[in-house]
mmCIF file of all heavy atoms in Angstrom:
data_model
loop_
_atom_site.group_PDB
_atom_site.id
_atom_site.type_symbol
_atom_site.label_atom_id
_atom_site.label_comp_id
_atom_site.label_asym_id
_atom_site.label_seq_id
_atom_site.Cartn_x
_atom_site.Cartn_y
_atom_site.Cartn_z
ATOM 1 N N ALA I 4 -7.869 10.016 39.342
ATOM 2 C CA ALA I 4 -9.092 10.764 39.795
ATOM 3 C C ALA I 4 -9.761 11.521 38.670
ATOM 4 O O ALA I 4 -10.955 11.827 38.776
ATOM 5 C CB ALA I 4 -8.745 11.732 40.942
ATOM 6 N N ILE I 5 -9.043 11.820 37.641
ATOM 7 C CA ILE I 5 -9.653 12.589 36.521
ATOM 8 C C ILE I 5 -9.615 11.888 35.199
ATOM 9 O O ILE I 5 -10.023 12.430 34.160
ATOM 10 C CB ILE I 5 -8.969 13.991 36.403
ATOM 11 C CG1 ILE I 5 -7.484 13.861 36.164
ATOM 12 C CG2 ILE I 5 -9.296 14.859 37.663
ATOM 13 C CD1 ILE I 5 -6.803 15.201 35.877
ATOM 14 N N GLU I 6 -9.110 10.665 35.188
ATOM 15 C CA GLU I 6 -9.011 9.888 33.939
ATOM 16 C C GLU I 6 -10.067 8.839 33.900
ATOM 17 O O GLU I 6 -10.519 8.247 34.881
ATOM 18 C CB GLU I 6 -7.632 9.251 33.815
ATOM 19 C CG GLU I 6 -6.527 10.266 33.584
ATOM 20 C CD GLU I 6 -5.164 9.594 33.445
ATOM 21 O OE1 GLU I 6 -5.061 8.366 33.733
ATOM 22 O OE2 GLU I 6 -4.202 10.311 33.064
ATOM 23 N N ASP I 7 -10.572 8.587 32.685
ATOM 24 C CA ASP I 7 -11.470 7.473 32.445
ATOM 25 C C ASP I 7 -10.621 6.284 32.006
ATOM 26 O O ASP I 7 -10.196 6.198 30.894
ATOM 27 C CB ASP I 7 -12.471 7.864 31.312
ATOM 28 C CG ASP I 7 -13.413 6.727 30.927
ATOM 29 O OD1 ASP I 7 -13.588 5.810 31.778
ATOM 30 O OD2 ASP I 7 -13.946 6.721 29.802
ATOM 31 N N ASN I 8 -10.361 5.436 32.960
ATOM 32 C CA ASN I 8 -9.483 4.267 32.694
ATOM 33 C C ASN I 8 -10.021 3.044 33.401
ATOM 34 O O ASN I 8 -11.107 3.096 34.055
ATOM 35 C CB ASN I 8 -8.035 4.558 33.137
ATOM 36 C CG ASN I 8 -7.882 4.947 34.587
ATOM 37 O OD1 ASN I 8 -8.636 4.464 35.460
ATOM 38 N ND2 ASN I 8 -6.922 5.794 34.893
ATOM 39 N N ASP I 9 -9.323 1.944 33.303
ATOM 40 C CA ASP I 9 -9.792 0.678 33.875
ATOM 41 C C ASP I 9 -9.976 0.808 35.414
ATOM 42 O O ASP I 9 -10.922 0.234 35.946
ATOM 43 C CB ASP I 9 -8.809 -0.448 33.593
ATOM 44 C CG ASP I 9 -8.833 -0.852 32.133
ATOM 45 O OD1 ASP I 9 -9.794 -0.526 31.410
ATOM 46 O OD2 ASP I 9 -7.861 -1.546 31.698
ATOM 47 N N TYR I 10 -9.107 1.585 36.044
ATOM 48 C CA TYR I 10 -9.202 1.666 37.502
ATOM 49 C C TYR I 10 -10.424 2.478 37.892
ATOM 50 O O TYR I 10 -11.217 2.089 38.742
ATOM 51 C CB TYR I 10 -7.934 2.278 38.055
ATOM 52 C CG TYR I 10 -6.655 1.587 37.634
ATOM 53 C CD1 TYR I 10 -5.617 2.273 37.045
ATOM 54 C CD2 TYR I 10 -6.565 0.203 37.784
ATOM 55 C CE1 TYR I 10 -4.462 1.614 36.642
ATOM 56 C CE2 TYR I 10 -5.418 -0.477 37.382
ATOM 57 C CZ TYR I 10 -4.368 0.236 36.812
ATOM 58 O OH TYR I 10 -3.213 -0.402 36.414
ATOM 59 N N SER I 11 -10.574 3.680 37.322
ATOM 60 C CA SER I 11 -11.700 4.526 37.734
ATOM 61 C C SER I 11 -13.010 3.871 37.371
ATOM 62 O O SER I 11 -13.978 3.988 38.138
ATOM 63 C CB SER I 11 -11.620 5.915 37.044
ATOM 64 O OG SER I 11 -11.564 5.826 35.635
ATOM 65 N N ARG I 12 -13.104 3.139 36.235
ATOM 66 C CA ARG I 12 -14.311 2.465 35.887
ATOM 67 C C ARG I 12 -14.616 1.355 36.878
ATOM 68 O O ARG I 12 -15.782 1.104 37.210
ATOM 69 C CB ARG I 12 -14.261 1.955 34.450
ATOM 70 C CG ARG I 12 -14.366 3.064 33.425
ATOM 71 C CD ARG I 12 -14.572 2.517 32.015
ATOM 72 N NE ARG I 12 -13.436 1.766 31.519
ATOM 73 C CZ ARG I 12 -12.395 2.314 30.868
ATOM 74 N NH1 ARG I 12 -12.399 3.599 30.602
ATOM 75 N NH2 ARG I 12 -11.399 1.587 30.446
ATOM 76 N N SER I 13 -13.564 0.656 37.328
ATOM 77 C CA SER I 13 -13.801 -0.440 38.277
ATOM 78 C C SER I 13 -14.291 0.102 39.614
ATOM 79 O O SER I 13 -15.133 -0.532 40.276
ATOM 80 C CB SER I 13 -12.500 -1.265 38.499
ATOM 81 O OG SER I 13 -11.566 -0.568 39.299
ATOM 82 N N TRP I 14 -13.817 1.260 40.049
ATOM 83 C CA TRP I 14 -14.291 1.859 41.303
ATOM 84 C C TRP I 14 -15.743 2.273 41.159
ATOM 85 O O TRP I 14 -16.503 2.104 42.113
ATOM 86 C CB TRP I 14 -13.422 3.064 41.670
ATOM 87 C CG TRP I 14 -11.951 2.718 41.893
ATOM 88 C CD1 TRP I 14 -11.454 1.519 42.280
ATOM 89 C CD2 TRP I 14 -10.839 3.577 41.704
ATOM 90 N NE1 TRP I 14 -10.087 1.549 42.392
ATOM 91 C CE2 TRP I 14 -9.681 2.845 42.018
ATOM 92 C CE3 TRP I 14 -10.700 4.899 41.311
ATOM 93 C CZ2 TRP I 14 -8.404 3.381 41.949
ATOM 94 C CZ3 TRP I 14 -9.432 5.445 41.222
ATOM 95 C CH2 TRP I 14 -8.293 4.710 41.542
ATOM 96 N N ALA I 15 -16.116 2.775 40.003
ATOM 97 C CA ALA I 15 -17.493 3.139 39.792
ATOM 98 C C ALA I 15 -18.387 1.949 39.832
ATOM 99 O O ALA I 15 -19.488 1.991 40.412
ATOM 100 C CB ALA I 15 -17.659 3.900 38.446
ATOM 101 N N ARG I 16 -17.997 0.816 39.225
ATOM 102 C CA ARG I 16 -18.789 -0.378 39.229
ATOM 103 C C ARG I 16 -18.903 -0.967 40.671
ATOM 104 O O ARG I 16 -19.952 -1.423 41.033
ATOM 105 C CB ARG I 16 -18.170 -1.464 38.290
ATOM 106 C CG ARG I 16 -18.318 -1.148 36.828
ATOM 107 C CD ARG I 16 -17.957 -2.361 35.970
ATOM 108 N NE ARG I 16 -16.614 -2.821 36.136
ATOM 109 C CZ ARG I 16 -15.599 -2.412 35.388
ATOM 110 N NH1 ARG I 16 -15.779 -1.493 34.444
ATOM 111 N NH2 ARG I 16 -14.366 -2.828 35.616
ATOM 112 N N LEU I 17 -17.800 -0.868 41.414
ATOM 113 C CA LEU I 17 -17.814 -1.307 42.794
ATOM 114 C C LEU I 17 -18.818 -0.488 43.589
ATOM 115 O O LEU I 17 -19.649 -1.015 44.358
ATOM 116 C CB LEU I 17 -16.453 -1.207 43.411
ATOM 117 C CG LEU I 17 -16.357 -1.545 44.908
ATOM 118 C CD1 LEU I 17 -16.786 -3.005 45.185
ATOM 119 C CD2 LEU I 17 -14.946 -1.298 45.422
ATOM 120 N N GLY I 18 -18.826 0.844 43.384
ATOM 121 C CA GLY I 18 -19.729 1.682 44.083
ATOM 122 C C GLY I 18 -21.173 1.354 43.821
ATOM 123 O O GLY I 18 -22.056 1.431 44.712
ATOM 124 N N GLN I 19 -21.507 0.933 42.618
ATOM 125 C CA GLN I 19 -22.833 0.552 42.232
ATOM 126 C C GLN I 19 -23.244 -0.764 42.915
ATOM 127 O O GLN I 19 -24.456 -1.039 43.055
ATOM 128 C CB GLN I 19 -22.952 0.397 40.728
ATOM 129 C CG GLN I 19 -22.828 1.711 39.988
ATOM 130 C CD GLN I 19 -22.556 1.522 38.484
ATOM 131 O OE1 GLN I 19 -22.626 0.428 37.955
ATOM 132 N NE2 GLN I 19 -22.210 2.633 37.821
ATOM 133 N N SER I 20 -22.275 -1.538 43.390
ATOM 134 C CA SER I 20 -22.557 -2.832 44.018
ATOM 135 C C SER I 20 -22.641 -2.683 45.563
ATOM 136 O O SER I 20 -23.186 -3.596 46.231
ATOM 137 C CB SER I 20 -21.448 -3.828 43.685
ATOM 138 O OG SER I 20 -21.348 -4.028 42.294
ATOM 139 N N LEU I 21 -22.103 -1.612 46.062
ATOM 140 C CA LEU I 21 -22.083 -1.405 47.529
ATOM 141 C C LEU I 21 -23.359 -0.767 48.022
ATOM 142 O O LEU I 21 -23.988 0.023 47.321
ATOM 143 C CB LEU I 21 -20.917 -0.541 47.929
ATOM 144 C CG LEU I 21 -19.507 -1.064 47.685
ATOM 145 C CD1 LEU I 21 -18.454 0.029 48.011
ATOM 146 C CD2 LEU I 21 -19.253 -2.279 48.522
ATOM 147 N N PRO I 22 -23.772 -1.084 49.234
ATOM 148 C CA PRO I 22 -24.944 -0.379 49.802
ATOM 149 C C PRO I 22 -24.568 1.022 50.213
ATOM 150 O O PRO I 22 -23.385 1.396 50.214
ATOM 151 C CB PRO I 22 -25.269 -1.260 51.039
ATOM 152 C CG PRO I 22 -23.937 -1.830 51.406
ATOM 153 C CD PRO I 22 -23.183 -2.091 50.150
ATOM 154 N N GLN I 23 -25.542 1.788 50.561
ATOM 155 C CA GLN I 23 -25.329 3.163 51.013
ATOM 156 C C GLN I 23 -24.994 3.123 52.490
ATOM 157 O O GLN I 23 -25.829 2.762 53.330
ATOM 158 C CB GLN I 23 -26.618 4.016 50.796
ATOM 159 C CG GLN I 23 -26.433 5.492 51.106
ATOM 160 C CD GLN I 23 -25.927 6.271 49.861
ATOM 161 O OE1 GLN I 23 -25.498 5.704 48.908
ATOM 162 N NE2 GLN I 23 -26.020 7.561 49.944
ATOM 163 N N PRO I 24 -23.783 3.492 52.901
ATOM 164 C CA PRO I 24 -23.419 3.446 54.294
ATOM 165 C C PRO I 24 -24.035 4.594 55.097
ATOM 166 O O PRO I 24 -24.491 5.564 54.535
ATOM 167 C CB PRO I 24 -21.891 3.574 54.286
ATOM 168 C CG PRO I 24 -21.508 3.558 52.834
ATOM 169 C CD PRO I 24 -22.676 3.981 52.069
ATOM 170 N N GLN I 25 -24.034 4.461 56.390
ATOM 171 C CA GLN I 25 -24.362 5.559 57.313
ATOM 172 C C GLN I 25 -23.230 6.539 57.373
ATOM 173 O O GLN I 25 -23.440 7.742 57.513
ATOM 174 C CB GLN I 25 -24.688 5.044 58.692
ATOM 175 C CG GLN I 25 -25.919 4.125 58.779
ATOM 176 C CD GLN I 25 -27.161 4.864 58.318
ATOM 177 O OE1 GLN I 25 -27.487 5.932 58.780
ATOM 178 N NE2 GLN I 25 -27.923 4.232 57.418
ATOM 179 N N ALA I 26 -21.981 5.984 57.238
ATOM 180 C CA ALA I 26 -20.775 6.806 57.264
ATOM 181 C C ALA I 26 -19.640 6.022 56.652
ATOM 182 O O ALA I 26 -19.727 4.759 56.578
ATOM 183 C CB ALA I 26 -20.429 7.293 58.647
ATOM 184 N N ILE I 27 -18.566 6.693 56.261
ATOM 185 C CA ILE I 27 -17.360 6.007 55.731
ATOM 186 C C ILE I 27 -16.178 6.442 56.541
ATOM 187 O O ILE I 27 -15.949 7.632 56.767
ATOM 188 C CB ILE I 27 -17.162 6.386 54.249
ATOM 189 C CG1 ILE I 27 -18.370 6.042 53.405
ATOM 190 C CG2 ILE I 27 -15.912 5.640 53.704
ATOM 191 C CD1 ILE I 27 -18.357 6.593 51.985
ATOM 192 N N LEU I 28 -15.454 5.472 57.046
ATOM 193 C CA LEU I 28 -14.185 5.700 57.744
ATOM 194 C C LEU I 28 -13.064 5.356 56.775
ATOM 195 O O LEU I 28 -12.988 4.223 56.289
ATOM 196 C CB LEU I 28 -14.098 4.820 59.006
ATOM 197 C CG LEU I 28 -12.871 5.004 59.929
ATOM 198 C CD1 LEU I 28 -13.168 4.391 61.286
ATOM 199 C CD2 LEU I 28 -11.625 4.412 59.343
ATOM 200 N N VAL I 29 -12.210 6.306 56.450
ATOM 201 C CA VAL I 29 -11.132 6.098 55.484
ATOM 202 C C VAL I 29 -9.799 6.057 56.163
ATOM 203 O O VAL I 29 -9.472 6.975 56.953
ATOM 204 C CB VAL I 29 -11.100 7.176 54.370
ATOM 205 C CG1 VAL I 29 -9.966 6.934 53.388
ATOM 206 C CG2 VAL I 29 -12.439 7.251 53.668
ATOM 207 N N VAL I 30 -9.031 5.009 55.896
ATOM 208 C CA VAL I 30 -7.633 4.928 56.357
ATOM 209 C C VAL I 30 -6.770 5.128 55.137
ATOM 210 O O VAL I 30 -6.682 4.211 54.287
ATOM 211 C CB VAL I 30 -7.340 3.569 57.012
ATOM 212 C CG1 VAL I 30 -5.916 3.533 57.612
ATOM 213 C CG2 VAL I 30 -8.363 3.246 58.071
ATOM 214 N N SER I 31 -6.223 6.307 54.957
ATOM 215 C CA SER I 31 -5.456 6.677 53.779
ATOM 216 C C SER I 31 -3.964 6.664 54.051
ATOM 217 O O SER I 31 -3.536 7.068 55.119
ATOM 218 C CB SER I 31 -5.912 8.073 53.294
ATOM 219 O OG SER I 31 -4.984 8.572 52.341
ATOM 220 N N ALA I 32 -3.195 6.261 53.020
ATOM 221 C CA ALA I 32 -1.762 6.289 53.090
ATOM 222 C C ALA I 32 -1.186 7.692 53.272
ATOM 223 O O ALA I 32 -0.034 7.873 53.654
ATOM 224 C CB ALA I 32 -1.189 5.657 51.817
ATOM 225 N N HIS I 33 -2.020 8.709 52.988
ATOM 226 C CA HIS I 33 -1.522 10.066 52.952
ATOM 227 C C HIS I 33 -1.780 10.897 54.221
ATOM 228 O O HIS I 33 -1.548 12.108 54.194
ATOM 229 C CB HIS I 33 -2.084 10.769 51.695
ATOM 230 C CG HIS I 33 -1.607 10.150 50.417
ATOM 231 N ND1 HIS I 33 -0.359 10.431 49.923
ATOM 232 C CD2 HIS I 33 -2.159 9.218 49.600
ATOM 233 C CE1 HIS I 33 -0.147 9.718 48.819
ATOM 234 N NE2 HIS I 33 -1.210 8.971 48.613
ATOM 235 N N TRP I 34 -2.248 10.248 55.258
ATOM 236 C CA TRP I 34 -2.314 10.940 56.555
ATOM 237 C C TRP I 34 -1.467 10.142 57.534
ATOM 238 O O TRP I 34 -1.918 9.157 58.133
ATOM 239 C CB TRP I 34 -3.734 11.086 57.038
ATOM 240 C CG TRP I 34 -3.856 12.008 58.234
ATOM 241 C CD1 TRP I 34 -2.924 12.909 58.685
ATOM 242 C CD2 TRP I 34 -4.966 12.116 59.118
ATOM 243 N NE1 TRP I 34 -3.405 13.554 59.799
ATOM 244 C CE2 TRP I 34 -4.657 13.135 60.086
ATOM 245 C CE3 TRP I 34 -6.243 11.481 59.219
ATOM 246 C CZ2 TRP I 34 -5.504 13.476 61.100
ATOM 247 C CZ3 TRP I 34 -7.099 11.867 60.261
ATOM 248 C CH2 TRP I 34 -6.741 12.867 61.163
ATOM 249 N N MET I 35 -0.221 10.591 57.682
ATOM 250 C CA MET I 35 0.715 9.874 58.549
ATOM 251 C C MET I 35 0.977 10.716 59.829
ATOM 252 O O MET I 35 1.150 11.909 59.762
ATOM 253 C CB MET I 35 2.049 9.695 57.810
ATOM 254 C CG MET I 35 1.978 8.698 56.641
ATOM 255 S SD MET I 35 3.481 8.703 55.651
ATOM 256 C CE MET I 35 3.210 10.116 54.591
ATOM 257 N N THR I 36 1.008 9.968 60.956
ATOM 258 C CA THR I 36 1.314 10.591 62.226
ATOM 259 C C THR I 36 2.383 9.758 62.880
ATOM 260 O O THR I 36 2.657 8.628 62.498
ATOM 261 C CB THR I 36 0.046 10.689 63.117
ATOM 262 O OG1 THR I 36 -0.626 9.429 63.132
ATOM 263 C CG2 THR I 36 -0.920 11.738 62.586
ATOM 264 N N LYS I 37 2.948 10.296 63.962
ATOM 265 C CA LYS I 37 3.980 9.566 64.682
ATOM 266 C C LYS I 37 3.699 9.529 66.161
ATOM 267 O O LYS I 37 3.710 10.586 66.796
ATOM 268 C CB LYS I 37 5.349 10.188 64.423
ATOM 269 C CG LYS I 37 5.822 10.056 62.974
ATOM 270 C CD LYS I 37 7.238 10.604 62.808
ATOM 271 C CE LYS I 37 7.754 10.368 61.390
ATOM 272 N NZ LYS I 37 9.093 10.881 61.171
ATOM 273 N N GLY I 38 3.331 8.390 66.699
ATOM 274 C CA GLY I 38 3.070 8.202 68.108
ATOM 275 C C GLY I 38 1.632 8.350 68.510
ATOM 276 O O GLY I 38 1.332 8.216 69.683
ATOM 277 N N SER I 39 0.753 8.649 67.529
ATOM 278 C CA SER I 39 -0.650 8.751 67.848
ATOM 279 C C SER I 39 -1.467 8.329 66.640
ATOM 280 O O SER I 39 -1.013 8.347 65.507
ATOM 281 C CB SER I 39 -1.054 10.178 68.244
ATOM 282 O OG SER I 39 -0.765 11.101 67.172
ATOM 283 N N THR I 40 -2.723 7.952 66.893
ATOM 284 C CA THR I 40 -3.735 7.677 65.861
ATOM 285 C C THR I 40 -4.769 8.760 65.920
ATOM 286 O O THR I 40 -5.511 8.839 66.869
ATOM 287 C CB THR I 40 -4.352 6.308 66.079
ATOM 288 O OG1 THR I 40 -3.352 5.290 66.074
ATOM 289 C CG2 THR I 40 -5.348 6.018 64.933
ATOM 290 N N LEU I 41 -4.791 9.624 64.908
ATOM 291 C CA LEU I 41 -5.726 10.753 64.895
ATOM 292 C C LEU I 41 -6.976 10.407 64.184
ATOM 293 O O LEU I 41 -6.968 9.687 63.193
ATOM 294 C CB LEU I 41 -5.068 12.003 64.298
ATOM 295 C CG LEU I 41 -3.827 12.531 65.002
ATOM 296 C CD1 LEU I 41 -3.377 13.874 64.381
ATOM 297 C CD2 LEU I 41 -4.039 12.739 66.497
ATOM 298 N N VAL I 42 -8.070 10.964 64.646
ATOM 299 C CA VAL I 42 -9.412 10.760 64.047
ATOM 300 C C VAL I 42 -9.977 12.124 63.765
ATOM 301 O O VAL I 42 -10.110 12.949 64.652
ATOM 302 C CB VAL I 42 -10.357 9.971 65.005
ATOM 303 C CG1 VAL I 42 -11.650 9.655 64.303
ATOM 304 C CG2 VAL I 42 -9.711 8.715 65.543
ATOM 305 N N ASN I 43 -10.275 12.369 62.482
ATOM 306 C CA ASN I 43 -10.800 13.686 62.133
ATOM 307 C C ASN I 43 -12.241 13.816 62.560
ATOM 308 O O ASN I 43 -13.078 13.040 62.165
ATOM 309 C CB ASN I 43 -10.621 13.908 60.634
ATOM 310 C CG ASN I 43 -11.045 15.347 60.257
ATOM 311 O OD1 ASN I 43 -12.148 15.567 59.775
ATOM 312 N ND2 ASN I 43 -10.166 16.315 60.541
#
């Protein structure tokens, strides 16, 4: 997230290729629940 490397540069290039969404729904590995699917 704070380094200028091949990964961060590829994400920036991808962003330049994507359209502007109305909203973004993120399914992240770092929000884990047990027995339910939570929506923020």
Side-chain angles (χ1 to χ4, degrees):
I5 57 172
E6 292 180 348
D7 177 21
N8 58 31
D9 289 344
Y10 306 128
S11 60
R12 288 192 292 271
S13 74
W14 299 333
R16 289 194 298 269
L17 175 62
Q19 292 165 9
S20 302
L21 295 174
Q23 188 88 346
Q25 297 298 310
I27 303 170
L28 184 164
V29 181
V30 186
S31 166
H33 294 280
W34 191 15
M35 291 171 278
T36 49
K37 292 184 177 180
S39 62
T40 300
L41 298 186
V42 186
N43 186 258

